[in-house]
């Protein structure tokens, strides 16, 4: 039930997205992964308002072996040259998504913090996350900055 909010830079020639992809590395019985998109807060830059809860992709052994799972979503407007956060939360049985081994993505995009400890965590492991999310994504993110093993590797698909 831990949501990882992964920063994603929207290229300048994009105006809509209609898909999210994530790779499952460990499948498990009855596991799914919920995917969605949040906008950053106007002041803090942290994940804030939910743009779309895309639903779930199958992370179960019934969905096949490990590999990339894609989720078609309703065409969703995005601002060119902007930042969004892709929410990734495995739900149900224990399953795992491929992740980037450090949280340097969040530092690359920059983030506001009132404490130096959040900015200068050892080993570059800072990430935004939300705990205890089962079912639908919350309409407004309530995130924590903390040390994590890594952030899920994700991709967005630009609408044609």
């Amino acid at each position: 039930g831990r949501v990882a909010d992964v920063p994603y830079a929207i290229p300048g020639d994009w105006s809509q997205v209609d898909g999210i992809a994530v790779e499952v590395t460990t499948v498990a019985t009855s596991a799914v992964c919920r995917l969605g998109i949040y906008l950053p807060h106007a002041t803090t830059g942290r994940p804030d308002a939910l743009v779309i809860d895309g639903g779930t992709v199958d992370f179960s052994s019934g969905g096949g072996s490990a590999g990339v799972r894609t989720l078609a979503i309703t065409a969703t407007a995005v601002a060119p040259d902007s930042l969004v956060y892709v929410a990734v939360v495995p739900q149900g049985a224990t399953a795992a998504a491929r992740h980037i081994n450090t949280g340097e993505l969040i530092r690359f995009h920059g983030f506001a913090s009132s404490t130096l400890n959040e900015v200068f965590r050892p080993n570059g492991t800072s990430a935004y996350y939300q705990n205890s999310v089962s079912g639908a994504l919350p309409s407004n993110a309530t995130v924590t900055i903390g040390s994590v093993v890594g952030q899920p590797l994700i991709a967005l698909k630009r609408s044609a």
Side-chain angles (χ1 to χ4, degrees), residues 18-36 54-73 86-90 94-98 152-157:
D18 63 7
I20 305 172
V22 63
E23 183 179 3
V24 59
T25 55
T26 305
V27 297
T29 305
S30 303
V32 296
C33 184
R34 183 167 295 277
L35 302 169
T56 61
V57 291
D58 191 353
F59 266 29
S60 75
S61 50
S65 60
V68 175
R69 303 290 198 271
T70 58
L71 177 67
I73 60 173
V86 179
V88 179
V89 58
T94 303
R98 179 163 316 280
L153 183 59
I154 52 89
L156 291 179
K157 179 181 171 279

Side-chain angles (χ1 to χ4, degrees), residues 17 20 35-38 49-55 72-76 87 137:
V17 295
I20 305 172
L35 302 169
I37 300 173
Y38 284 95
L50 181 66
V51 175
I52 187 166
D53 182 331
I73 60 173
T74 303
T76 302
L137 293 170

Side-chain angles (χ1 to χ4, degrees), residues 4 99-103 125 127 148-152:
H99 65 275
I100 299 166
N101 288 326
T102 69
T125 57
V148 296
V149 172
Q151 294 179 300

Side-chain angles (χ1 to χ4, degrees), residues 49-133:
L50 181 66
V51 175
I52 187 166
D53 182 331
T56 61
V57 291
D58 191 353
F59 266 29
S60 75
S61 50
S65 60
V68 175
R69 303 290 198 271
T70 58
L71 177 67
I73 60 173
T74 303
T76 302
V78 292
D81 292 321
S82 69
L83 180 68
V84 298
Y85 291 92
V86 179
V88 179
V89 58
Q91 296 176 329
T94 303
R98 179 163 316 280
H99 65 275
I100 299 166
N101 288 326
T102 69
E104 292 299 335
L105 280 176
I106 198 170
R107 291 185 196 197
F108 175 76
H109 293 292
F111 62 97
S113 174
S114 60
T115 67
L116 289 177
N117 287 340
E118 287 182 345
V119 177
F120 293 104
R121 286 191 186 278
N123 304 318
T125 57
S126 293
Y128 291 124
Y129 65 89
Q130 303 172 69
N131 280 326
S132 305
V133 174

Side-chain angles (χ1 to χ4, degrees), residues 3 5 37-41 46-51 130-131 133 136-143:
V3 178
D5 294 302
I37 300 173
Y38 284 95
L39 292 176
H41 186 275
R46 295 178 182 207
D48 186 35
L50 181 66
V51 175
Q130 303 172 69
N131 280 326
V133 174
L137 293 170
S139 59
N140 289 92
T142 306
V143 297

